[in-house]
Amino acid sequence: MNRRYRKTIIAGNWKMNKTPAETRALIDELKPMVSKAKWCEVVLCVPFVDIPMAVRLLKDTRVAIGAQNLHQLDSGAYTGEVSGPMLKNAGVKYVVVGHSERRQYFGEDDALVSEKVQAALSAGLRPIVCVGETLSQRESGVTMELVAYQVKSALSGVPVARLREVVFAYEPIWAIGTGRTATAEQAGEVCNHIRTVIRKMHGARPARSVTIQYGGSMNAENAAELLAQLDVDGGLVGGASLKPKDFTAIVNASNQ
Ligand code: 13P
């Protein structure tokens, strides 16, 4: 982390877990533990139906609410979809874009991710853009090229003045939900590479203002070491974000 230039952000990605009633119980437990963290921004990316409950329970706290997806258009005949303006109006501040599960199971490609990044920004939401490689891509040595391509594509329609609103999350697919975390060095190396790509596109000053998270089996034990890397500015936390004590430990680990 380097808090001088950019915000540390610890975000929980609840994925497809928790009903509104369960959301109430989880946030009631979490709220007293994380709502006073001043050294980082705490974000809960909850399922769409849980957004009203989460926004209501956390209003007047420092905890922000995120969504996990959005449609690339503002409105129209797209049954089952939710748009950026809808999320904004519901009190959402962040939205996860291009998560590997959406790329893998819902056919989202880099062109669509780019459209969604622009849709998020034009609605006044901060996109958390996920990038990362599969195990076979890592083993064949293409991680850096692949991640560079994903970053460049995601930023292709983003004016430099809005760059600091974009958050990146480096999530190696082989580390998601597997208990197999990237080493701190691996995470730091790719996060540094992401910043280098942004620097080459837009220059040093905008690049150093971008928050770059790590995600993939981050937990209470490994968070401090990952976050000690200079270019790892936070975490996008799946499984551990559903356990209040573990998530709180990760938030506290970012106070270093
Ligand atoms: P896990 O923390 O469960 O590995 O999930 C990471 C992730 O996909 C966050 O978006």
Side-chain angles (χ1 to χ4, degrees), residues 18-254:
K18 305 297 172 186
T19 63
E22 291 165 343
T23 296
R24 178 198 288 273
L26 181 51
I27 290 181
D28 280 347
E29 201 179 335
L30 201 56
K31 185 171 159 177
M33 299 198 274
V34 298
S35 60
K36 292 198 177 63
K38 291 203 170 63
W39 55 88
C40 69
E41 170 116 308
V42 178
V43 184
L44 303 180
C45 299
V46 304
F48 289 135
V49 295
D50 298 330
I51 288 170
M53 175 70 79
V55 167
R56 185 155 57 82
L57 293 174
L58 291 164
K59 78 170 183 331
D60 306 325
T61 74
R62 301 168 57 88
V63 180
I65 301 306
Q68 299 172 14
N69 182 31
L70 83 169
H71 193 270
Q72 65 273 26
L73 298 177
D74 286 353
S75 64
Y78 300 98
T79 302
E81 292 295 311
V82 174
S83 74
M86 293 172 186
L87 295 172
K88 178 71 180 178
N89 189 253
V92 165
K93 185 169 173 189
Y94 290 83
V95 58
V96 178
V97 174
H99 192 280
S100 61
E101 287 150 17
R102 298 221 51 95
R103 295 179 190 252
Q104 185 179 352
Y105 305 128
F106 302 95
E108 295 197 6
D109 61 11
D110 287 303
L112 182 59
V113 170
S114 163
E115 287 183 54
K116 291 189 174 196
V117 168
Q118 291 172 67
L121 290 172
S122 69
L125 301 166
R126 295 191 67 181
I128 300 176
V129 185
C130 301
V131 298
E133 81 287 3
T134 63
L135 187 56
S136 73
Q137 287 166 332
R138 174 159 283 267
E139 285 170 346
S140 53
V142 299
T143 298
M144 295 305 191
E145 286 92 334
L146 177 89
V147 168
Y149 181 82
Q150 291 173 326
V151 170
K152 283 185 207 162
S153 174
L155 291 180
S156 58
V158 177
V160 61
R162 312 240 15 214
L163 203 56
R164 55 183 306 130
E165 295 163 57
V166 178
V167 177
F168 278 98
Y170 168 53
E171 297 209 316
I173 294 166
W174 47 272
I176 295 176
T178 57
R180 183 177 168 187
T181 321
T183 64
E185 290 70 31
Q186 287 171 325
E189 185 186 25
V190 181
C191 291
N192 174 267
H193 180 62
I194 291 171
R195 200 176 310 287
T196 303
V197 170
I198 301 171
R199 182 163 56 235
K200 286 185 179 151
M201 289 177 83
H202 291 297
R205 195 185 279 263
R208 75 184 181 202
S209 71
V210 176
T211 295
I212 304 173
Q213 303 173 311
Y214 168 78
S217 300
M218 187 182 263
N219 59 37
E221 284 74 45
N222 60 31
E225 195 187 351
L226 289 158
L227 294 167
Q229 295 285 318
L230 195 60
D231 286 298
V232 177
D233 308 311
L236 185 55
V237 186
S241 73
L242 298 169
K243 301 176 191 151
K245 285 200 181 73
D246 294 38
F247 189 63
T248 302
I250 295 171
V251 169
N252 291 336
S254 74

